[in-house]
Amino acid sequence: MELLKVENLTKSFGGLLAIHKLSFIVKEGEILGLIGPNGAGKTTLFNLISGALKPDKGRIFFGDAKISGLRPHKICKMGISRTFQDVKVFPNMTVVENIALAATFARERIPTNEAQRLATDLLRFCGLIEVKNMLARDLSLVNQKRLEVARALATQPKLILLDEMMAGLNPTETLDAMRLVKAIRDRGCTVFIVEHVLRAIMNLCDRVMVLHYGEKIAEGTPEEVCSNPKVIEVYLGEKYAQN
Ligand SMILES: Nc1ncnc2c1ncn2[C@@H]1O[C@H](COP(=O)(O)OP(=O)(O)O)[C@@H](O)[C@H]1O
Ligand SMILES: [Mg+2]
């Protein structure tokens, strides 16, 4: 069943076409990967879905509801939340306060004692129990990334958009992050993930979509996409050369 449907989406910044006539769906319960070179439009797409940006053309549906053009807090309440590539935790609040604040934007209003239980559950789920009373600004990068995820989950999303949550993590932290993504899906939340860590994309994703200059150039299983000559030419070739 389709959870999100994007139709003919277009967004430009001045003369630059960041997203061009893009159409695709996200299926309920899947982990969909999004890859492509820097500047391909991946973060812009997440900004369009979450309502941070408005499309120039095209429409986005979440279930039966048209969400393109709605404000971000409305979209969040409907069940879509996201993390930020450039981490945006609230620096002067503690970890647990960051999570509790997000819970007030939850899909369904929950009583205070339940919000506390949810926060504790998320601290444990995301590996943040030991740092729960630290100010967010004092956290290590990996814990800031975990907090971004915990905060997004506190809104009880049906769909979570994860933007390069593994960038800058060491191999052990990356493995932990991969386990976390799987566990998020196992909780019943659909995952749409932008990631340059290919091992994660290959291991986690049911399907992968490839963007290049705002256009979809390939879509399929991780194996199909990674053996696609066009994808190797514009993205993987460059990545393999780096390694
Ligand atoms: N707010 C903005 N204003 C102007 N240009 C932008 C803005 N956001 C993104 N861009 C441009 O749009 C293109 C796509 O960027 P982005 O979506 O961040 O790519 P990716 O996440 O795939 O690296 C880039 O050329 C980028 O410079
Ligand atoms: Mg980006």
Side-chain angles (χ1 to χ4, degrees):
M1 210 185 88
E2 64 189 42
L3 182 63
L4 187 86
K5 183 162 78 174
V6 169
E7 277 180 1
N8 207 29
L9 200 66
T10 296
K11 177 74 188 176
S12 54
F13 299 107
L16 181 107
L17 258 178
I19 295 288
H20 189 213
K21 294 187 175 168
L22 181 65
S23 299
F24 66 95
I25 62 161
V26 182
K27 297 178 195 163
E28 189 166 0
E30 76 174 338
I31 301 179
L32 175 65
L34 178 60
I35 60 175
N38 286 329
K42 305 180 297 293
T43 297
T44 300
L45 177 60
F46 278 10
N47 284 334
L48 289 164
I49 295 171
S50 64
L53 289 173
K54 290 196 194 323
D56 299 332
K57 284 190 198 137
R59 301 187 299 178
I60 305 172
F61 293 90
F62 187 51
D64 294 329
K66 178 169 169 279
I67 59 164
S68 39
L70 295 184
R71 303 280 303 277
H73 67 278
K74 282 250 159 92
I75 294 173
C76 181
K77 284 239 178 217
M78 290 168 82
I80 300 180
S81 70
R82 55 95 56 96
T83 64
F84 294 90
Q85 181 177 351
D86 46 342
V87 178
K88 291 186 202 286
V89 290
F90 301 115
N92 296 322
M93 294 173 86
T94 66
V95 168
V96 75
E97 284 167 353
N98 265 273
I99 297 173
L101 179 63
T104 64
F105 289 88
R107 227 166 357 112
E108 279 160 37
R109 196 174 275 273
I110 46 175
T112 314
N113 60 342
E114 237 179 86
Q116 270 162 4
R117 203 173 321 128
L118 175 68
T120 309
D121 168 52
L122 287 174
L123 287 167
R124 200 170 294 126
F125 187 73
C126 296
L128 291 166
I129 283 280
E130 279 163 26
V131 296
K132 69 176 185 178
N133 293 318
M134 273 175 76
L135 291 179
R137 64 163 188 247
D138 294 331
L139 295 177
S140 61
L141 175 71
V142 65
N143 281 334
Q144 291 202 15
K145 296 242 172 195
R146 288 172 181 159
L147 178 53
E148 283 262 323
V149 175
R151 187 177 58 177
L153 291 174
T155 68
Q156 300 182 290
K158 293 185 221 164
L159 173 66
I160 189 168
L161 312 174
L162 300 171
D163 197 352
E164 297 204 26
M165 67 182 283
M166 297 173 201
L169 303 190
N170 71 33
T172 315
E173 292 165 349
T174 303
L175 274 180
D176 281 344
M178 286 166 62
R179 271 195 287 272
L180 182 59
V181 173
K182 279 202 177 116
I184 291 170
R185 192 260 296 273
D186 292 345
R187 281 168 87 102
C189 180
T190 303
V191 178
F192 190 13
I193 180 170
V194 168
E195 198 51 68
H196 283 298
V197 179
L198 262 192
R199 189 163 50 111
I201 291 289
M202 297 300 290
N203 268 293
L204 291 173
C205 296
D206 300 301
R207 294 190 305 129
V208 181
M209 176 166 86
V210 188
L211 274 190
H212 183 47
Y213 289 121
E215 295 190 32
K216 178 165 68 180
I217 60 163
E219 190 176 24
T221 64
E223 291 75 20
E224 283 165 359
V225 159
C226 287
S227 58
N228 180 313
K230 197 160 180 198
V231 178
I232 293 172
E233 186 195 325
V234 308
Y235 181 61
L236 296 177
E238 164 204 324
K239 272 195 85 70
Y240 289 144
Q242 278 167 13
N243 292 336

